[in-house]
Amino acid sequence: MPKITFIEHDGTVHEVEAELGASVMETALRNDISSIVAECGGGCTCATCHIYVDEAWVERVGPPSPSEDAELDAAFDVRANSRLSCQITVTEALDGLVVRTPSYQGR
């Protein structure tokens, strides 16, 4: 199983196993990553699963879709490496992915 490292805004590090085909958001929820709120449950209709993809992984993860980009426009502290974790599907190619959470999840 691929591993994902979540680094929460307070510095807490979680290295967890992720199920292939699940989203990064689902992986966070299954592993009690408290910084991922996920109010819409993965419907790409909020920004409460906002993450920062580590610079080394940005290309491999790819860019946001237009609908994801629209949701990110309303998120707090958006950066060039911002993504919604509900929109990233876990694949073998993402084994070792590192993401960080912002200090606030919301708009």
Side-chain angles (χ1 to χ4, degrees):
M1 292 183 115
K3 293 189 190 249
I4 298 175
T5 300
F6 292 89
I7 304 171
E8 296 192 69
H9 65 291
D10 66 0
T12 303
V13 177
H14 307 269
E15 185 179 287
V16 302
E17 290 188 346
E19 182 181 325
L20 290 172
S23 70
V24 171
M25 179 210 72
E26 291 168 326
T27 302
L29 294 178
R30 288 181 187 141
N31 289 280
D32 299 319
I33 309 300
S34 61
S35 297
I36 302 292
V37 179
E39 286 181 357
C40 76
C44 195
T45 59
C46 72
T48 60
C49 68
H50 178 206
I51 57 170
Y52 304 118
V53 175
D54 187 85
E55 293 296 331
W57 289 90
V58 169
E59 265 189 52
R60 202 171 311 175
V61 169
S65 69
S67 61
E68 179 183 355
D69 205 31
E71 286 302 320
L72 284 168
D73 281 344
F76 178 76
D77 195 20
V78 175
R79 302 175 186 172
N81 61 334
S82 287
R83 290 292 308 269
L84 297 181
S85 60
C86 69
Q87 298 302 295
I88 303 171
T89 302
V90 176
T91 64
E92 287 290 351
L94 295 184
D95 185 26
L97 175 66
V98 177
V99 301
R100 290 173 172 74
T101 62
S103 60
Y104 175 75
Q105 289 285 8
R107 299 170 183 236

